[in-house]
Amino acid sequence: MKKCPNCGASMDTDVKFCTNCGTKLFSESTEVNTNSNLKSQTKNVSISKPTRMKKNNNSHSSSQGPIVMHNYWQWLVSSWKQPNSEQNAEKWYGATTILGEILLFVWGISIAINGSLTQMFGSTGGDFTTQVLFELFIFLALVGLGKVVGVIAGRKFSFQEKVDFLTLINRVAQLSNINAIIMVVAFVCCILGRNNYSFAVLLSVIALLIFDLACITMAVKGQNAKRDSFYGLLISVAIALIIMMVLTGIFGNTLKDQIQSLLSSIFKF
């Protein structure tokens, strides 16, 4: 016996239409096969879905690199056009840009020093220049870090706000991102030879001043200051100078000894 799904009337199993309402009936075997087919299709979908998702994830990760670089480039261009405007940026943009500028500066000095030593003495500084320039890179990176720490302290005093370190570096880098262009030009001048070294030095000094101005701007920029921002700026400058003096004392003595060692080996005294 089987029942009609429409009216619920009972009838023999071999009846194909309901004797009460005329609804077409299906045999139990057909229903079983239909259900099994549906389960099979559902299973196949559930199996193939993770596979497609895995493929999508792989293609997504492979395309991430160009997208990241494109977004970073857009951030640079926007900061060149409007350095003082609010920009959406990943937290690593600012630190990467500043370290890249320092690397270009140190690399340019390396080219200039080795070129000058080759012309004067017929050989480069070798391991000496490599070690000294690495220490110079660390020194400049720490000096820049000290200036940012000073800005954080100054803003803490003036605005009594909690500042995210990497976000503040982004803001300072955004204000001074013109330095990326300046340092590229200075690096090219170092490659071109001794006649362009003085111009490269001038560009480097300008870049340093721009970075300092960016730090000063961030130390006083804002509204609703709880204390006078001028004193916050003084605190910022004082902390940056103290950190720079300490670093100069640490790295200066080492650099002095290495220069004396180089001169002794060159002039044999």
Side-chain angles (χ1 to χ4, degrees):
M1 299 293 290
K2 60 182 179 182
K3 289 185 178 181
C4 174
N6 183 40
C7 66
S10 298
M11 60 207 71
D12 296 334
T13 55
D14 57 347
V15 176
K16 295 183 179 180
F17 293 91
C18 178
T19 56
N20 184 40
C21 65
T23 301
K24 186 176 180 180
L25 306 176
F26 296 94
S27 62
E28 293 182 358
S29 59
T30 304
E31 293 178 356
V32 171
N33 290 335
T34 302
N35 292 333
S36 63
N37 290 335
L38 289 174
K39 291 180 180 180
S40 176
Q41 291 175 2
T42 305
K43 185 177 181 181
N44 291 335
V45 170
S46 63
I47 292 174
S48 60
K49 186 176 180 180
T51 304
R52 288 197 300 269
M53 290 178 62
K54 185 176 181 180
K55 291 181 179 179
N56 291 336
N57 290 335
N58 291 335
S59 61
H60 178 70
S61 60
S62 63
S63 62
Q64 273 296 97
I67 294 175
V68 169
M69 293 308 299
H70 174 76
N71 292 339
Y72 175 67
W73 175 252
Q74 290 299 318
W75 174 74
L76 279 176
V77 173
S78 298
S79 65
W80 291 333
K81 293 179 180 178
Q82 295 177 320
N84 206 32
S85 63
E86 294 291 336
Q87 304 281 354
N88 293 326
E90 297 290 340
K91 290 189 175 182
W92 57 269
Y93 284 2
T96 301
T97 304
I98 294 173
L99 290 177
E101 293 165 0
I102 296 174
L103 181 61
L104 272 180
F105 173 74
V106 173
W107 194 3
I109 290 179
S110 173
I111 294 173
I113 291 177
N114 286 326
S116 299
L117 290 177
T118 301
Q119 289 186 359
M120 290 187 296
F121 306 109
S123 63
T124 64
D127 294 336
F128 163 77
T129 54
T130 301
Q131 183 177 356
V132 168
L133 293 173
F134 176 74
E135 292 177 358
L136 179 61
F137 175 83
I138 299 298
F139 170 76
L140 293 175
L142 292 177
V143 168
L145 180 64
K147 292 179 180 180
V148 174
V149 170
V151 172
I152 292 176
R155 292 190 66 85
K156 185 78 173 177
F157 174 84
S158 301
F159 301 95
Q160 296 184 357
E161 64 179 8
K162 187 175 181 181
V163 183
D164 182 74
F165 182 73
L166 292 178
T167 300
L168 185 61
I169 290 181
N170 275 358
R171 296 292 294 119
V172 173
Q174 182 181 319
L175 288 171
S176 62
N177 265 345
I178 191 66
N179 283 347
I181 299 176
I182 293 175
M183 293 315 302
V184 168
V185 176
F187 179 74
V188 172
C189 290
C190 292
I191 294 176
L192 293 178
R194 295 182 62 181
N195 294 333
N196 302 284
Y197 289 168
S198 59
F199 186 59
V201 171
L202 176 62
L203 290 175
S204 300
V205 172
I206 292 174
L208 177 63
L209 292 176
I210 290 175
F211 184 80
D212 288 342
L213 287 175
C215 290
I216 291 172
T217 301
M218 284 307 304
V220 300
K221 183 180 179 181
Q223 298 177 349
N224 302 322
K226 307 300 181 183
R227 301 187 180 98
D228 196 299
S229 58
F230 177 75
Y231 293 108
L233 177 60
L234 290 181
I235 292 174
S236 175
V237 173
I239 291 176
L241 288 175
I242 291 172
I243 293 176
M244 186 164 56
M245 289 173 61
V246 172
L247 292 173
T248 301
I250 295 173
F251 287 88
N253 293 330
T254 304
L255 182 61
K256 179 182 177 181
D257 294 339
Q258 291 174 343
I259 292 176
Q260 289 178 348
S261 175
L262 175 66
L263 294 176
S264 299
S265 62
I266 290 176
F267 297 104
K268 308 297 182 184
F269 62 81

